[in-house]
Amino acid sequence: MIRRRLEDDLIAQQARPGPWSLHWDGQTLQIKHGQGGAVVAEVTYAIPTYEPEVHEARAECDTRNEEHIARHHPARVLAETEAMGQILALHHFEPYEDDPDRGFCRECQRDRAAETYPCTTVRLLALPYADHSDYREEWRP
């Protein structure tokens, strides 16, 4: 289920790579690729365009959404999905010999009794997808 949700990396690969940054151009706050690169997105605010009021008005704008978008640029998403994929590779399903439909996590078995799969680590990785139709409530940690 989680591996299928890693489709975020496919979307990120098609977007302009990061990092992204914020730049004001008059009334418009632009999200740009790199420093002064291509505009990825922009939002126009109803603020004065004359000095010095424009600077004061910009400071009062609620730009949290734009800041969030800029921080979660494609390079970061790709790094996160790569890390998640590596964690999933460590915490893989190992079927029981007598019941191949059930199993345990070999990684979690190393220092203690085998933990039924999905292990706590995989359950925590799945938690952000709890609103997805493939998510099972019994996976909730």
Side-chain angles (χ1 to χ4, degrees):
M1 187 290 247
I2 300 173
R3 287 196 193 283
R4 289 191 308 270
R5 298 294 67 79
L6 295 182
E7 63 206 15
D8 291 349
D9 67 347
L10 297 175
I11 296 167
Q13 289 171 3
Q14 296 170 4
R16 291 191 186 272
W20 292 352
S21 57
L22 299 177
H23 299 277
W24 280 102
D25 183 14
Q27 295 176 301
T28 304
L29 180 59
Q30 299 175 332
I31 300 170
K32 290 188 171 188
H33 169 240
Q35 296 295 325
V39 174
V40 176
E42 59 186 14
V43 177
T44 301
Y45 289 88
I47 58 176
T49 57
Y50 45 87
E51 301 291 341
E53 288 82 359
V54 67
H55 292 294
E56 294 171 13
R58 286 177 183 169
E60 294 177 14
C61 290
D62 183 356
T63 60
R64 290 177 287 188
N65 289 333
E66 293 83 5
E67 291 167 13
H68 173 76
I69 292 167
R71 282 180 175 232
H72 293 84
H73 54 78
R76 178 176 172 170
V77 170
L78 291 171
E80 289 174 354
T81 57
E82 173 65 24
M84 187 180 290
Q86 289 183 28
I87 293 168
L88 288 173
L90 282 175
H91 293 267
H92 65 275
F93 175 79
E94 188 73 34
Y96 291 123
E97 289 180 15
D98 61 341
D99 186 356
D101 291 334
R102 294 183 54 242
F104 62 95
C105 174
R106 176 146 329 259
E107 182 67 19
C108 291
Q109 179 198 7
R110 290 179 189 265
D111 298 326
R112 58 190 180 280
E115 188 172 348
T116 303
Y117 201 84
C119 64
T120 302
T121 300
V122 173
R123 289 171 190 245
L124 289 169
L125 289 175
L127 195 55
Y129 306 103
D131 62 344
H132 194 278
S133 60
D134 289 345
Y135 186 84
R136 296 184 197 163
E137 199 56 38
E138 65 265 20
W139 293 345
R140 194 171 292 278

